[in-house]
Amino acid sequence: MNLLQLEDVGVRFGGLRALQGVDLEVKQGEIFGLLGPNGAGKTTLFNVISGLTAPSSGTVRWRGASLAGLSSHRIARLGIARTFQNLRLFSSMSCLENVLVGMHQHARQPPLAALLQTQSFRRRESQLQQEALALLDLFQLEATAHQDAASLSYGDRRRLEMARALASRPQLLLLDEPAAGMNPSEKDELRELIRRIRDQFKLTVLIIEHHVPLMLGLCDRLAVLNFGQRIALGSPDQVRRDPAVIEAYLGGGT
Amino acid sequence: MDAGLLEQMLLGALLGLSVYLPLRCGQLSLATPGFFAIGGTVAALLSTRVPALAGSGSTYPITSVLLEMALAALLTGVLALGLGRVVLRLRGIYLAIATIALVEILRVVTLNLEFTGGALGIFGIPQPFNSAAGYAAFTLALLALICWLCDRLEKTRPGRAMAAIRDDELAAASQGINTADTKLLAFVLSALVAGITGVVAAHFLNSWNAKLGNFDASITTLAFVVFGGSRTWLGPVFGGLLLTALPELLRPVGDLRLIVFGAVILVGPLFFPQGVITPELFKWFKPRIGGITTAAAQGVKQ
Ligand SMILES: Nc1ncnc2c1ncn2[C@@H]1O[C@H](COP(=O)(O)OP(=O)(O)O)[C@@H](O)[C@H]1O
Ligand SMILES: [Mg+2]
């Protein structure tokens, strides 16, 4: 069974068809790339999967079950985490707190224990704190753990978004342009990092990124969207040679 | 200091906390005076109409006051649970307007009901304490308890979820936070604090009428939080204490006092857009005072 399956998904914003007839299957453990020009509907696709935008038609299935009608917090609890293209960190909080909020689902403690600060409460809290620090460490953010998230550099904020998303211990991680605003060496590191977290956390990764060489080098499979439609699907080699992709990217005729 | 003024200040701090709780979750609710009025009405009715509560001594028993508080909390809590589900679907200024409307409806209903004494209200509410100092001591204990609860809330999971919702509701939901329930929790806690405060105020004031929960009160209590800040519970406590005291302390300057009072409310947010009391303030103080505030500042950061 596919981990995630999109069947004939369409989204309309008034007269605009942001997505139409999109079929997609994402298998457990793969790194799946979404390519496409600006405005192709990639972010909209993420919004549909994570429950922020209801599809106008079609179905999204998670382990075979439809996600229709589930609010975004319910979908997050199923094990689908995401980052945002236009960063949405909790800006009044420190990096550490951002990651702690990401742990919301498994940070529950009995209210009375929390009030009385029992020993087991404090032990669990410090455990969570250690876990959060380890995540920050993984993204080389340990030095800024106690700084406000708003004070970070652009690249650091992107990494913090990834750390926060991982904190929920997801099975599927959706990354929306994680390399945007990073320099070439940061992009190389990011590629290695994504591979590493996939292996370490047994993740499936769905990634949107404009940087084509990075995507071809990183992804197991890719889909290409253009004007809301899937125009290509396959391995990096297949997609690279696909005439429709060449046309979309180079603007046909030449 | 005059114990009567101190008691008013402490009540102001409690109302400030009531406004603060939803605001810390990003919800601008102005329903506090409504729940305050309900608490006061509950106390006024029970203590004047139920002979069994009066006890045998010369003063009204404290246990009866505590019982009134429990009943007021139950009533306001249940009401907030029901109303919150509906009004919290609104955002920002729309929520503020809807809650003002709730407060007005409540006031008009109270005004027109027979058993709440109509426009005149209820008089001769029995006194559990012989002096204002007695009230102040009791209210101080209550304030300390609620501050402690707020402090624990801020440092634990639901408090973090509330702050996350204030920063970015959509991102909070994407972390698995049930934003509707979390906002409802803040709204209900706010109502409980206001209701309990109303009980104490009714005894202290000796009489109770519909005017005590009106639109003016909504704005005044909001000013406590805008002035003091809504990032930590210390903000509304500070704002409530100071802004309640200020008009009284300024009495010697005559009519000018209202202008000065208005200026303070205006200038506060201009120079301190986050309110006077912020976590940054603790960071600034920490190396200077050390010890005592270190714990508080760490609490804010956790
Ligand atoms: N909430 C919305 N309301 C109206 N139009 C939208 C909305 N979100 C996206 N769009 C439009 O849908 C199209 C696809 O957008 P998007 O998914 O962000 O593209 P991409 O991420 O591939 O650059 C764009 O034309 C965009 O303007
Ligand atoms: Mg996009």
Side-chain angles (χ1 to χ4, degrees), chain A residues 37-44 85-86 176-177 208 210:
Chain A
N38 266 326
K42 305 181 296 295
T43 297
T44 303
Q85 181 181 353
N86 47 350
D176 198 344
E177 304 201 16
I208 296 174
H210 280 299

Side-chain angles (χ1 to χ4, degrees), chain A residues 91-93 148 150, chain B residues 20 23 166-167 223-232 234-236 238 267-281:
Chain A
S91 52
S92 76
M93 299 186 197
D148 273 358
Chain B
Y20 153 80
L23 209 56
R166 182 184 58 187
D167 276 2
F224 297 167
V225 185
V226 172
F227 185 84
S230 61
R231 294 278 297 277
T232 98
L234 271 167
F238 176 77
V267 168
L270 277 179
F271 285 96
F272 305 96
Q274 304 265 358
V276 176
I277 311 285
T278 61
E280 285 70 33
L281 192 71

Side-chain angles (χ1 to χ4, degrees), chain B residues 153-284:
Chain B
L153 181 72
E154 280 177 17
K155 290 173 186 162
T156 51
R157 180 174 172 269
R160 281 195 294 262
M162 286 178 189
I165 291 172
R166 182 184 58 187
D167 276 2
D168 189 330
E169 187 169 344
L170 190 148
S174 296
Q175 313 307 314
I177 293 171
N178 185 335
T179 55
D181 281 3
T182 307
K183 290 192 282 187
L184 191 61
L185 173 69
F187 189 71
V188 169
L189 290 177
S190 159
L192 295 181
V193 173
I196 288 172
T197 307
V199 171
V200 182
H203 285 284
F204 175 65
L205 295 174
N206 201 340
S207 71
W208 196 257
N209 65 50
K211 237 177 58 203
L212 287 158
N214 62 10
F215 176 64
D216 284 2
S218 294
I219 298 306
T220 311
T221 47
L222 177 62
F224 297 167
V225 185
V226 172
F227 185 84
S230 61
R231 294 278 297 277
T232 98
W233 54 269
L234 271 167
V237 170
F238 176 77
L241 291 174
L242 185 75
L243 293 189
T244 313
L246 207 56
E248 297 306 317
L249 298 179
L250 287 172
R251 212 170 267 285
V253 298
D255 284 347
L256 210 58
R257 74 195 174 102
L258 291 177
I259 296 176
V260 176
F261 181 65
V264 167
I265 292 187
L266 189 70
V267 168
L270 277 179
F271 285 96
F272 305 96
Q274 304 265 358
V276 176
I277 311 285
T278 61
E280 285 70 33
L281 192 71
F282 293 116
K283 275 190 221 156
W284 188 84

